[in-house]
Amino acid sequence: MLEKLYEYYKKIPPETWYEDKNLAHSHVFFNGIITQNVIMCFTEKILKILNSSDEITNKLAFGIGVELSQNIQIHSVERALDKNDQRIHGKGILLCEKFPSFLVLSAGNVIKKETVKFLDDKCKFINHLNHEQLREYYNMERRQSLITKRKGGNVGLIDMAKKSGNPLNIHFHTIDEKYSFFALGVRINS
Amino acid sequence: MEDLFIEGKGFIPKVELNAQTGVLNFSGQSYHEYTDEFFDPIFAWISQYLKEPGKKITVNFRMTYFNTASSKCFLEILEMLKAYQNNCGGQITVNWYYQANDYDMLETGEDFIIDTQLNINLIPY
């Protein structure tokens, strides 16, 4: 689905929750400005689709849903003013999909082309670390973020890999000579 | 000095900073989009509170979920308290509460111990 996320991003009407009738499995898309309200709705929909009585799995899915959404809020190149809260947020697409034994949460947003290699390298690096190495890397990067006073924790990708226990799935789609579309998927065993 | 109280709701954690008792409580969920901005008055309060040396302070974290940006802010709070303990004669107790089967929250507490070298009590409930 990551390969098709850009197509959905282009075709789904903005600011709507959307289901594709051609898909057989439970799912929901959101395309548009990622506000705090959207994140709260997205996490509610994740829990509804997941439909699990296991509180820890629910917390895991909830946390990954928040981090994916906030990645778009902070890092998307496309930004827009939300009329309700009068603040500027990142734009992108969110997707929650339920399969028989796992859930997949995905997010996509436009990035500058020069960011592609950095993100590709970072995700590949994260994907070759085991759980203990991810903990160490998380702590190191979080401290670096504190020292350099960067906005946010800057450890969202590490956090999602650490929490899910699965590799980060990524796909880049070239839009033009300046921009690419970054799609990120995280599988959560249920 | 006045207490600082923030009522928790949804993505905002409940924050109770009591200047008289020295008990600082953080509970609930924290995933504000503007996390750094949200924590600014909390940092300002703690910074002011730590100006007088030798205080006995207890910090209770009873978080059910927090995002990575909040994690950085908690680290900053712990670093402020550590510096106060090491340089200003402060007596700091940090309690980290976690749901007994929530290994991620337990690991997070362990990681704060490793990272800050503070003696943090890990307390299951």
PDB file of all heavy atoms in Angstrom, chain B residues 34-61:
ATOM      1  N   TYR B  34       2.149  21.286  20.414  1.00  0.00           N
ATOM      2  CA  TYR B  34       3.157  22.283  20.824  1.00  0.00           C
ATOM      3  C   TYR B  34       3.672  21.920  22.218  1.00  0.00           C
ATOM      4  O   TYR B  34       3.517  22.677  23.172  1.00  0.00           O
ATOM      5  CB  TYR B  34       2.543  23.682  20.780  1.00  0.00           C
ATOM      6  CG  TYR B  34       2.110  24.062  19.388  1.00  0.00           C
ATOM      7  CD1 TYR B  34       0.795  23.898  18.980  1.00  0.00           C
ATOM      8  CD2 TYR B  34       3.027  24.540  18.462  1.00  0.00           C
ATOM      9  CE1 TYR B  34       0.398  24.206  17.682  1.00  0.00           C
ATOM     10  CE2 TYR B  34       2.645  24.848  17.164  1.00  0.00           C
ATOM     11  CZ  TYR B  34       1.324  24.676  16.788  1.00  0.00           C
ATOM     12  OH  TYR B  34       0.941  24.975  15.508  1.00  0.00           O
ATOM     13  N   THR B  35       4.274  20.745  22.283  1.00  0.00           N
ATOM     14  CA  THR B  35       4.707  20.223  23.577  1.00  0.00           C
ATOM     15  C   THR B  35       5.701  21.169  24.250  1.00  0.00           C
ATOM     16  O   THR B  35       5.578  21.458  25.445  1.00  0.00           O
ATOM     17  CB  THR B  35       5.340  18.826  23.388  1.00  0.00           C
ATOM     18  OG1 THR B  35       4.342  17.950  22.874  1.00  0.00           O
ATOM     19  CG2 THR B  35       5.859  18.267  24.690  1.00  0.00           C
ATOM     20  N   ASP B  36       6.679  21.647  23.481  1.00  0.00           N
ATOM     21  CA  ASP B  36       7.703  22.530  24.069  1.00  0.00           C
ATOM     22  C   ASP B  36       7.040  23.770  24.664  1.00  0.00           C
ATOM     23  O   ASP B  36       7.380  24.202  25.770  1.00  0.00           O
ATOM     24  CB  ASP B  36       8.736  22.934  23.015  1.00  0.00           C
ATOM     25  CG  ASP B  36       9.586  21.744  22.577  1.00  0.00           C
ATOM     26  OD1 ASP B  36       9.655  20.762  23.328  1.00  0.00           O
ATOM     27  OD2 ASP B  36      10.181  21.800  21.487  1.00  0.00           O
ATOM     28  N   GLU B  37       6.120  24.322  23.923  1.00  0.00           N
ATOM     29  CA  GLU B  37       5.395  25.523  24.353  1.00  0.00           C
ATOM     30  C   GLU B  37       4.575  25.232  25.616  1.00  0.00           C
ATOM     31  O   GLU B  37       4.536  26.041  26.541  1.00  0.00           O
ATOM     32  CB  GLU B  37       4.444  25.921  23.223  1.00  0.00           C
ATOM     33  CG  GLU B  37       3.963  27.331  23.209  1.00  0.00           C
ATOM     34  CD  GLU B  37       3.143  27.558  21.938  1.00  0.00           C
ATOM     35  OE1 GLU B  37       3.722  27.576  20.830  1.00  0.00           O
ATOM     36  OE2 GLU B  37       1.925  27.695  22.082  1.00  0.00           O
ATOM     37  N   PHE B  38       3.943  24.063  25.636  1.00  0.00           N
ATOM     38  CA  PHE B  38       3.130  23.673  26.789  1.00  0.00           C
ATOM     39  C   PHE B  38       3.991  23.567  28.054  1.00  0.00           C
ATOM     40  O   PHE B  38       3.566  23.958  29.157  1.00  0.00           O
ATOM     41  CB  PHE B  38       2.430  22.330  26.519  1.00  0.00           C
ATOM     42  CG  PHE B  38       1.750  21.751  27.723  1.00  0.00           C
ATOM     43  CD1 PHE B  38       0.510  22.233  28.127  1.00  0.00           C
ATOM     44  CD2 PHE B  38       2.348  20.756  28.474  1.00  0.00           C
ATOM     45  CE1 PHE B  38      -0.117  21.724  29.262  1.00  0.00           C
ATOM     46  CE2 PHE B  38       1.738  20.239  29.607  1.00  0.00           C
ATOM     47  CZ  PHE B  38       0.496  20.725  30.003  1.00  0.00           C
ATOM     48  N   PHE B  39       5.210  23.030  27.904  1.00  0.00           N
ATOM     49  CA  PHE B  39       6.057  22.802  29.077  1.00  0.00           C
ATOM     50  C   PHE B  39       6.800  24.069  29.540  1.00  0.00           C
ATOM     51  O   PHE B  39       7.341  24.073  30.640  1.00  0.00           O
ATOM     52  CB  PHE B  39       7.066  21.671  28.798  1.00  0.00           C
ATOM     53  CG  PHE B  39       6.506  20.303  29.106  1.00  0.00           C
ATOM     54  CD1 PHE B  39       5.800  19.585  28.156  1.00  0.00           C
ATOM     55  CD2 PHE B  39       6.671  19.730  30.361  1.00  0.00           C
ATOM     56  CE1 PHE B  39       5.277  18.331  28.436  1.00  0.00           C
ATOM     57  CE2 PHE B  39       6.155  18.485  30.650  1.00  0.00           C
ATOM     58  CZ  PHE B  39       5.454  17.774  29.690  1.00  0.00           C
ATOM     59  N   ASP B  40       6.812  25.108  28.741  1.00  0.00           N
ATOM     60  CA  ASP B  40       7.566  26.316  29.115  1.00  0.00           C
ATOM     61  C   ASP B  40       7.203  26.849  30.507  1.00  0.00           C
ATOM     62  O   ASP B  40       8.096  27.114  31.314  1.00  0.00           O
ATOM     63  CB  ASP B  40       7.393  27.408  28.049  1.00  0.00           C
ATOM     64  CG  ASP B  40       8.365  27.220  26.900  1.00  0.00           C
ATOM     65  OD1 ASP B  40       9.327  26.431  27.067  1.00  0.00           O
ATOM     66  OD2 ASP B  40       8.174  27.834  25.837  1.00  0.00           O
ATOM     67  N   PRO B  41       5.906  27.051  30.823  1.00  0.00           N
ATOM     68  CA  PRO B  41       5.586  27.549  32.177  1.00  0.00           C
ATOM     69  C   PRO B  41       5.959  26.563  33.284  1.00  0.00           C
ATOM     70  O   PRO B  41       6.236  26.980  34.417  1.00  0.00           O
ATOM     71  CB  PRO B  41       4.068  27.782  32.127  1.00  0.00           C
ATOM     72  CG  PRO B  41       3.577  27.067  30.926  1.00  0.00           C
ATOM     73  CD  PRO B  41       4.716  26.960  29.969  1.00  0.00           C
ATOM     74  N   ILE B  42       5.998  25.280  32.943  1.00  0.00           N
ATOM     75  CA  ILE B  42       6.387  24.267  33.931  1.00  0.00           C
ATOM     76  C   ILE B  42       7.887  24.387  34.225  1.00  0.00           C
ATOM     77  O   ILE B  42       8.307  24.388  35.391  1.00  0.00           O
ATOM     78  CB  ILE B  42       6.022  22.856  33.416  1.00  0.00           C
ATOM     79  CG1 ILE B  42       4.497  22.751  33.278  1.00  0.00           C
ATOM     80  CG2 ILE B  42       6.574  21.764  34.322  1.00  0.00           C
ATOM     81  CD1 ILE B  42       4.006  21.543  32.517  1.00  0.00           C
ATOM     82  N   PHE B  43       8.673  24.542  33.164  1.00  0.00           N
ATOM     83  CA  PHE B  43      10.116  24.747  33.360  1.00  0.00           C
ATOM     84  C   PHE B  43      10.368  26.030  34.160  1.00  0.00           C
ATOM     85  O   PHE B  43      11.228  26.067  35.045  1.00  0.00           O
ATOM     86  CB  PHE B  43      10.844  24.868  32.012  1.00  0.00           C
ATOM     87  CG  PHE B  43      10.853  23.598  31.204  1.00  0.00           C
ATOM     88  CD1 PHE B  43      10.638  23.627  29.837  1.00  0.00           C
ATOM     89  CD2 PHE B  43      11.084  22.367  31.805  1.00  0.00           C
ATOM     90  CE1 PHE B  43      10.648  22.474  29.083  1.00  0.00           C
ATOM     91  CE2 PHE B  43      11.097  21.194  31.054  1.00  0.00           C
ATOM     92  CZ  PHE B  43      10.871  21.257  29.687  1.00  0.00           C
ATOM     93  N   ALA B  44       9.628  27.081  33.842  1.00  0.00           N
ATOM     94  CA  ALA B  44       9.813  28.369  34.526  1.00  0.00           C
ATOM     95  C   ALA B  44       9.484  28.227  36.009  1.00  0.00           C
ATOM     96  O   ALA B  44      10.213  28.741  36.871  1.00  0.00           O
ATOM     97  CB  ALA B  44       8.922  29.432  33.878  1.00  0.00           C
ATOM     98  N   TRP B  45       8.406  27.490  36.303  1.00  0.00           N
ATOM     99  CA  TRP B  45       8.000  27.292  37.713  1.00  0.00           C
ATOM    100  C   TRP B  45       9.088  26.512  38.456  1.00  0.00           C
ATOM    101  O   TRP B  45       9.503  26.897  39.551  1.00  0.00           O
ATOM    102  CB  TRP B  45       6.666  26.535  37.764  1.00  0.00           C
ATOM    103  CG  TRP B  45       6.052  26.490  39.142  1.00  0.00           C
ATOM    104  CD1 TRP B  45       5.103  27.319  39.655  1.00  0.00           C
ATOM    105  CD2 TRP B  45       6.368  25.550  40.193  1.00  0.00           C
ATOM    106  NE1 TRP B  45       4.797  26.970  40.949  1.00  0.00           N
ATOM    107  CE2 TRP B  45       5.558  25.883  41.308  1.00  0.00           C
ATOM    108  CE3 TRP B  45       7.242  24.478  40.309  1.00  0.00           C
ATOM    109  CZ2 TRP B  45       5.605  25.186  42.515  1.00  0.00           C
ATOM    110  CZ3 TRP B  45       7.298  23.773  41.515  1.00  0.00           C
ATOM    111  CH2 TRP B  45       6.478  24.118  42.599  1.00  0.00           C
ATOM    112  N   ILE B  46       9.533  25.417  37.876  1.00  0.00           N
ATOM    113  CA  ILE B  46      10.540  24.576  38.549  1.00  0.00           C
ATOM    114  C   ILE B  46      11.838  25.363  38.742  1.00  0.00           C
ATOM    115  O   ILE B  46      12.456  25.325  39.806  1.00  0.00           O
ATOM    116  CB  ILE B  46      10.782  23.263  37.757  1.00  0.00           C
ATOM    117  CG1 ILE B  46       9.512  22.411  37.760  1.00  0.00           C
ATOM    118  CG2 ILE B  46      11.951  22.480  38.336  1.00  0.00           C
ATOM    119  CD1 ILE B  46       9.569  21.167  36.880  1.00  0.00           C
ATOM    120  N   SER B  47      12.212  26.090  37.714  1.00  0.00           N
ATOM    121  CA  SER B  47      13.443  26.883  37.790  1.00  0.00           C
ATOM    122  C   SER B  47      13.372  27.887  38.948  1.00  0.00           C
ATOM    123  O   SER B  47      14.332  28.038  39.718  1.00  0.00           O
ATOM    124  CB  SER B  47      13.624  27.599  36.454  1.00  0.00           C
ATOM    125  OG  SER B  47      14.809  28.299  36.444  1.00  0.00           O
ATOM    126  N   GLN B  48      12.232  28.533  39.090  1.00  0.00           N
ATOM    127  CA  GLN B  48      12.014  29.495  40.185  1.00  0.00           C
ATOM    128  C   GLN B  48      12.030  28.763  41.529  1.00  0.00           C
ATOM    129  O   GLN B  48      12.628  29.230  42.501  1.00  0.00           O
ATOM    130  CB  GLN B  48      10.669  30.207  39.956  1.00  0.00           C
ATOM    131  CG  GLN B  48      10.310  31.256  40.998  1.00  0.00           C
ATOM    132  CD  GLN B  48      11.228  32.466  40.956  1.00  0.00           C
ATOM    133  OE1 GLN B  48      11.789  32.776  39.914  1.00  0.00           O
ATOM    134  NE2 GLN B  48      11.407  33.111  42.101  1.00  0.00           N
ATOM    135  N   TYR B  49      11.380  27.621  41.563  1.00  0.00           N
ATOM    136  CA  TYR B  49      11.259  26.856  42.804  1.00  0.00           C
ATOM    137  C   TYR B  49      12.626  26.357  43.290  1.00  0.00           C
ATOM    138  O   TYR B  49      12.860  26.248  44.498  1.00  0.00           O
ATOM    139  CB  TYR B  49      10.312  25.661  42.571  1.00  0.00           C
ATOM    140  CG  TYR B  49       9.953  24.916  43.828  1.00  0.00           C
ATOM    141  CD1 TYR B  49       9.250  25.550  44.856  1.00  0.00           C
ATOM    142  CD2 TYR B  49      10.307  23.578  44.001  1.00  0.00           C
ATOM    143  CE1 TYR B  49       8.917  24.879  46.020  1.00  0.00           C
ATOM    144  CE2 TYR B  49       9.973  22.897  45.152  1.00  0.00           C
ATOM    145  CZ  TYR B  49       9.276  23.542  46.169  1.00  0.00           C
ATOM    146  OH  TYR B  49       8.960  22.866  47.327  1.00  0.00           O
ATOM    147  N   LEU B  50      13.512  26.102  42.372  1.00  0.00           N
ATOM    148  CA  LEU B  50      14.828  25.548  42.736  1.00  0.00           C
ATOM    149  C   LEU B  50      15.845  26.634  43.097  1.00  0.00           C
ATOM    150  O   LEU B  50      17.016  26.319  43.342  1.00  0.00           O
ATOM    151  CB  LEU B  50      15.368  24.679  41.587  1.00  0.00           C
ATOM    152  CG  LEU B  50      14.521  23.449  41.194  1.00  0.00           C
ATOM    153  CD1 LEU B  50      15.212  22.664  40.089  1.00  0.00           C
ATOM    154  CD2 LEU B  50      14.248  22.556  42.393  1.00  0.00           C
ATOM    155  N   LYS B  51      15.412  27.860  43.134  1.00  0.00           N
ATOM    156  CA  LYS B  51      16.373  28.939  43.459  1.00  0.00           C
ATOM    157  C   LYS B  51      16.804  28.891  44.928  1.00  0.00           C
ATOM    158  O   LYS B  51      17.908  29.301  45.264  1.00  0.00           O
ATOM    159  CB  LYS B  51      15.765  30.301  43.116  1.00  0.00           C
ATOM    160  CG  LYS B  51      15.831  30.573  41.621  1.00  0.00           C
ATOM    161  CD  LYS B  51      15.511  31.980  41.252  1.00  0.00           C
ATOM    162  CE  LYS B  51      15.781  32.162  39.748  1.00  0.00           C
ATOM    163  NZ  LYS B  51      15.161  33.356  39.217  1.00  0.00           N
ATOM    164  N   GLU B  52      15.908  28.386  45.779  1.00  0.00           N
ATOM    165  CA  GLU B  52      16.252  28.266  47.200  1.00  0.00           C
ATOM    166  C   GLU B  52      16.845  26.876  47.436  1.00  0.00           C
ATOM    167  O   GLU B  52      16.205  25.872  47.093  1.00  0.00           O
ATOM    168  CB  GLU B  52      14.979  28.448  48.032  1.00  0.00           C
ATOM    169  CG  GLU B  52      15.240  28.599  49.512  1.00  0.00           C
ATOM    170  CD  GLU B  52      13.919  28.733  50.271  1.00  0.00           C
ATOM    171  OE1 GLU B  52      13.084  29.564  49.841  1.00  0.00           O
ATOM    172  OE2 GLU B  52      13.716  27.984  51.236  1.00  0.00           O
ATOM    173  N   PRO B  53      18.060  26.791  48.022  1.00  0.00           N
ATOM    174  CA  PRO B  53      18.707  25.470  48.159  1.00  0.00           C
ATOM    175  C   PRO B  53      18.108  24.615  49.274  1.00  0.00           C
ATOM    176  O   PRO B  53      17.380  25.111  50.118  1.00  0.00           O
ATOM    177  CB  PRO B  53      20.164  25.842  48.488  1.00  0.00           C
ATOM    178  CG  PRO B  53      20.082  27.189  49.119  1.00  0.00           C
ATOM    179  CD  PRO B  53      18.908  27.889  48.516  1.00  0.00           C
ATOM    180  N   GLY B  54      18.451  23.333  49.225  1.00  0.00           N
ATOM    181  CA  GLY B  54      18.174  22.406  50.320  1.00  0.00           C
ATOM    182  C   GLY B  54      16.753  21.917  50.466  1.00  0.00           C
ATOM    183  O   GLY B  54      16.384  21.403  51.525  1.00  0.00           O
ATOM    184  N   LYS B  55      15.966  22.033  49.448  1.00  0.00           N
ATOM    185  CA  LYS B  55      14.572  21.590  49.575  1.00  0.00           C
ATOM    186  C   LYS B  55      14.432  20.074  49.393  1.00  0.00           C
ATOM    187  O   LYS B  55      15.248  19.437  48.721  1.00  0.00           O
ATOM    188  CB  LYS B  55      13.702  22.289  48.518  1.00  0.00           C
ATOM    189  CG  LYS B  55      13.413  23.737  48.847  1.00  0.00           C
ATOM    190  CD  LYS B  55      12.592  24.367  47.745  1.00  0.00           C
ATOM    191  CE  LYS B  55      12.246  25.795  48.123  1.00  0.00           C
ATOM    192  NZ  LYS B  55      11.719  26.562  47.007  1.00  0.00           N
ATOM    193  N   LYS B  56      13.383  19.551  50.011  1.00  0.00           N
ATOM    194  CA  LYS B  56      13.048  18.139  49.831  1.00  0.00           C
ATOM    195  C   LYS B  56      11.920  18.073  48.800  1.00  0.00           C
ATOM    196  O   LYS B  56      10.852  18.661  49.016  1.00  0.00           O
ATOM    197  CB  LYS B  56      12.584  17.568  51.171  1.00  0.00           C
ATOM    198  CG  LYS B  56      12.515  16.084  51.231  1.00  0.00           C
ATOM    199  CD  LYS B  56      12.195  15.631  52.650  1.00  0.00           C
ATOM    200  CE  LYS B  56      11.982  14.138  52.667  1.00  0.00           C
ATOM    201  NZ  LYS B  56      11.693  13.651  54.026  1.00  0.00           N
ATOM    202  N   ILE B  57      12.165  17.400  47.703  1.00  0.00           N
ATOM    203  CA  ILE B  57      11.198  17.392  46.597  1.00  0.00           C
ATOM    204  C   ILE B  57      10.872  15.956  46.190  1.00  0.00           C
ATOM    205  O   ILE B  57      11.769  15.114  46.066  1.00  0.00           O
ATOM    206  CB  ILE B  57      11.778  18.148  45.368  1.00  0.00           C
ATOM    207  CG1 ILE B  57      12.072  19.613  45.750  1.00  0.00           C
ATOM    208  CG2 ILE B  57      10.828  18.078  44.174  1.00  0.00           C
ATOM    209  CD1 ILE B  57      12.870  20.368  44.700  1.00  0.00           C
ATOM    210  N   THR B  58       9.597  15.691  46.001  1.00  0.00           N
ATOM    211  CA  THR B  58       9.162  14.379  45.488  1.00  0.00           C
ATOM    212  C   THR B  58       8.450  14.584  44.150  1.00  0.00           C
ATOM    213  O   THR B  58       7.534  15.405  44.060  1.00  0.00           O
ATOM    214  CB  THR B  58       8.189  13.691  46.467  1.00  0.00           C
ATOM    215  OG1 THR B  58       8.860  13.521  47.724  1.00  0.00           O
ATOM    216  CG2 THR B  58       7.738  12.330  45.943  1.00  0.00           C
ATOM    217  N   VAL B  59       8.891  13.853  43.154  1.00  0.00           N
ATOM    218  CA  VAL B  59       8.260  13.945  41.836  1.00  0.00           C
ATOM    219  C   VAL B  59       7.588  12.608  41.522  1.00  0.00           C
ATOM    220  O   VAL B  59       8.232  11.555  41.607  1.00  0.00           O
ATOM    221  CB  VAL B  59       9.290  14.250  40.723  1.00  0.00           C
ATOM    222  CG1 VAL B  59       8.574  14.586  39.417  1.00  0.00           C
ATOM    223  CG2 VAL B  59      10.200  15.381  41.126  1.00  0.00           C
ATOM    224  N   ASN B  60       6.328  12.672  41.192  1.00  0.00           N
ATOM    225  CA  ASN B  60       5.579  11.460  40.825  1.00  0.00           C
ATOM    226  C   ASN B  60       5.157  11.529  39.362  1.00  0.00           C
ATOM    227  O   ASN B  60       4.453  12.460  38.963  1.00  0.00           O
ATOM    228  CB  ASN B  60       4.325  11.341  41.700  1.00  0.00           C
ATOM    229  CG  ASN B  60       4.673  11.173  43.171  1.00  0.00           C
ATOM    230  OD1 ASN B  60       5.463  10.298  43.540  1.00  0.00           O
ATOM    231  ND2 ASN B  60       4.111  12.027  44.019  1.00  0.00           N
ATOM    232  N   PHE B  61       5.603  10.561  38.603  1.00  0.00           N
ATOM    233  CA  PHE B  61       5.150  10.427  37.219  1.00  0.00           C
ATOM    234  C   PHE B  61       4.164   9.259  37.161  1.00  0.00           C
ATOM    235  O   PHE B  61       4.535   8.124  37.456  1.00  0.00           O
ATOM    236  CB  PHE B  61       6.318  10.129  36.282  1.00  0.00           C
ATOM    237  CG  PHE B  61       7.268  11.277  36.072  1.00  0.00           C
ATOM    238  CD1 PHE B  61       8.472  11.336  36.758  1.00  0.00           C
ATOM    239  CD2 PHE B  61       6.963  12.308  35.188  1.00  0.00           C
ATOM    240  CE1 PHE B  61       9.355  12.390  36.551  1.00  0.00           C
ATOM    241  CE2 PHE B  61       7.836  13.371  34.978  1.00  0.00           C
ATOM    242  CZ  PHE B  61       9.031  13.409  35.666  1.00  0.00           C
TER     243      PHE B  61
END
